[in-house]
Amino acid sequence: DMTPLNQNLVATVGTFVYVKLLVGLCEGLVHQKILSSKISRKIIHVGAGSWILFWPLFDNRHWTWCLNVSMPVVYAIQLSIKGFILQNPNDPDVITMSRSGNPIELCKGPLFFTLVMTACGLFLFMKEEGIYIMGCLGFGDGLAPLFGGYFPLYPYRTFPFGSGDYKTVSGSFGFLVSSFVGITVLRTIILSDGTSWNDLGKTFSISFVAAVVEGVSGWLDNIFIAGSVFLTLKWW
């Protein structure tokens, strides 16, 4: 049997291998023009949010369970340097993760996403709140733009409420459905405690609240979604 330290080190390496393979695969497919950057962003978004599937592999009997956040911390630093300092529009991360090709975009949604991941990994490790937040951010916020992009029904204004700042009811519906499915899958695998009708009702309600918040918070949605999910669960 491995010691808790060794187990945590192996699990940490596993998170890096998983994310590096995911990002590398998407970058390669985008470069070969097999996959659009729009779709690759969403695959990375969902895949990165699913990093919490590695949580059960960490042993909290040793402080190195905190290394579960190593990957998001490294990416947060990397995104900050590339977005604020290097600002190379031809960088693979810029091409893969930004909407317009502007490097500074890495310091908005993608950076906020890694910061929320880090907070969940440190303060909500193996807790229901962390699973719900990552389910909404990874699956809900990751897939909602596809629903809104391919089925742009009933647009409405969002923060900061400029002429080009809008989302769609279809996208919000996609967020609701994707969050519900994502949370249910992640919760079932990570907590391994079964899913009751009450759990499903709570998951739907929190997914609905998060969908409303996502719809009005614009590019700050990662932070506000996480906050709304956490507060709703505390109230629940």
Side-chain angles (χ1 to χ4, degrees):
D1 292 342
M2 285 193 291
T3 64
L5 170 60
N6 289 339
Q7 181 174 327
N8 292 340
L9 291 176
V10 171
T12 300
V13 172
T15 63
F16 276 97
V17 171
Y18 163 68
V19 173
K20 282 294 185 181
L21 285 176
L22 177 67
V23 174
L25 176 63
C26 287
E27 288 179 351
L29 293 176
V30 170
H31 181 72
Q32 295 295 325
K33 302 190 183 303
I34 297 174
L35 198 67
S36 70
S37 59
K38 179 179 180 180
I39 299 296
S40 76
R41 284 200 312 273
K42 302 312 161 190
I43 293 175
I44 292 173
H45 201 121
V46 174
S50 300
W51 130 93
I52 62 172
L53 290 171
F54 284 83
W55 277 359
L57 302 180
F58 288 87
D59 191 327
N60 61 9
R61 291 178 297 173
H62 193 276
W63 68 267
T64 50
W65 65 265
C66 293
L67 292 175
N68 81 86
V69 302
S70 298
M71 182 273 297
V73 166
V74 168
Y75 267 90
I77 295 172
Q78 178 176 298
L79 292 171
S80 298
I81 292 174
K82 291 185 176 184
F84 285 125
I85 301 174
L86 299 180
Q87 296 193 332
N88 177 11
N90 296 316
D91 184 277
D93 283 343
V94 176
I95 296 172
T96 305
M97 298 183 197
S98 68
R99 289 184 173 90
S100 66
N102 187 344
I104 199 64
E105 282 192 28
L106 296 181
C107 299
K108 294 182 178 180
L111 177 59
F112 290 159
F113 187 59
T114 59
L115 294 178
V116 172
M117 290 171 69
T118 302
C120 286
L122 289 177
F123 305 111
L124 301 174
F125 175 72
M126 290 299 292
K127 293 183 179 179
E128 190 177 52
E129 294 93 332
I131 295 171
Y132 274 75
I133 288 172
M134 293 315 304
C136 286
L137 282 183
F139 286 79
D141 194 43
L143 298 177
L146 297 183
F147 283 82
Y150 288 108
F151 308 100
L153 304 176
Y154 309 111
Y156 60 89
R157 291 290 179 86
T158 186
F159 179 84
F161 306 106
S163 59
D165 301 311
Y166 70 91
K167 293 189 178 182
T168 62
V169 171
S170 53
S172 295
F173 175 76
F175 182 102
L176 170 62
V177 173
S178 302
S179 294
F180 179 83
V181 172
I183 292 170
T184 302
V185 171
L186 292 174
R187 190 181 189 283
T188 300
I189 295 174
I190 295 171
L191 297 183
S192 302
D193 60 354
T195 302
S196 66
W197 286 108
N198 181 62
D199 292 328
L200 292 176
K202 178 168 66 176
T203 298
F204 179 84
S205 300
I206 289 173
S207 297
F208 180 82
V209 170
V212 173
V213 171
E214 189 270 346
V216 299
S217 53
W219 61 272
L220 294 171
D221 54 1
N222 285 331
I223 301 297
F224 281 95
I225 290 169
S228 68
V229 170
F230 181 80
L231 292 176
T232 305
L233 277 169
K234 286 300 182 183
W235 171 82
W236 195 279

